[in-house]
Amino acid sequence: MKRFLLPLGLFAVVVGFLAVGLTLNPREVPSPFIGKPAPDFVLPQLHDPEKVFSPKDLAGQVWLLNVWASWCSGCKEEHPVLMQLAQSGSVPVYGMDYKDQRAEALTWLKRQGNPYPLSAMDESGRIGINYGVYGVPETFVIDKKGLIRYKQIGPLDQDSLDRKVLPLVKELQNQ
């Protein structure tokens, strides 16, 4: 009888971990980048590849970095929220076009609308990897000191914007 207790106990522990895991929100994966400096980069701008964009250009500001692509269905889902956010002027949203073709990205923005003051092109995906991006869309809140303060995995929706992103942005802007 005792020889069954160990396997039964291990089975119970595995079931317990599975039960806890099923209650977690996959969009709220803790990021090791929270509270750390945003990785620096210099990338060509989508609309004018002769010009470059770097997070250093935004030092002293609170801003969002939205990683997107024209081939991304979740990006299409979140796009109306980004357009509304851009129109509100609450916080600037800069884009990083991820593993995409320039012509397709430009066409997509022309059709859907452009919420970004500018988008950088991460054609190889190297910079996205430095940010821990494993799927698009992903959005980062970056503070005045260049620290990543929040990471949204998956499409931004109005609820996450109202409950998490905008209150954090307001707090950071007042610091």
Side-chain angles (χ1 to χ4, degrees):
M1 184 67 173
K2 289 184 179 181
R3 71 180 194 197
F4 294 112
L5 289 179
L6 182 60
L8 184 60
L10 289 174
F11 178 73
V13 169
V14 169
V15 168
F17 280 122
L18 180 62
V20 169
L22 290 174
T23 64
L24 300 176
N25 183 346
R27 292 191 180 172
E28 294 183 4
V29 176
S31 172
F33 294 100
I34 303 299
K36 300 224 169 46
D40 194 28
F41 61 82
V42 176
L43 287 173
Q45 293 183 19
L46 178 64
H47 284 85
D48 187 353
E50 299 300 315
K51 295 182 181 176
V52 296
F53 170 70
S54 170
K56 289 181 180 176
D57 299 340
L58 301 173
Q61 296 184 53
V62 176
W63 58 286
L64 303 185
L65 176 65
N66 177 253
V67 184
W68 66 281
S70 65
W71 46 263
C72 163
S73 61
C75 298
K76 189 171 185 176
E77 179 185 324
E78 83 173 350
H79 204 74
V81 174
L82 293 175
M83 290 297 292
Q84 192 174 24
L85 180 60
Q87 290 171 351
S88 78
S90 310
V91 61
V93 183
Y94 290 82
M96 182 167 30
D97 184 30
Y98 181 73
K99 292 186 176 181
D100 207 355
Q101 300 297 315
R102 182 174 182 272
E104 291 174 19
L106 289 169
T107 300
W108 195 85
L109 286 177
K110 190 173 181 179
R111 267 193 223 128
Q112 304 295 326
N114 187 355
Y116 311 111
L118 67 84
S119 273
M121 285 193 58
D122 184 15
E123 218 169 348
S124 69
R126 181 180 52 84
I127 303 304
I129 290 169
N130 292 346
Y131 274 78
V133 171
Y134 58 89
V136 289
E138 290 189 14
T139 304
F140 299 84
V141 176
I142 301 173
D143 73 10
K144 294 175 183 179
K145 296 177 184 172
L147 301 177
I148 296 175
R149 300 299 296 269
Y150 178 77
K151 177 181 179 179
Q152 169 78 27
I153 298 171
L156 272 176
D157 58 25
Q158 198 60 50
D159 183 54
S160 62
L161 195 63
D162 292 340
R163 285 188 316 107
K164 294 179 183 176
V165 175
L166 290 176
L168 176 59
V169 164
K170 188 173 183 179
E171 176 188 330
L172 294 171
Q173 287 172 335
N174 290 327
Q175 289 182 352

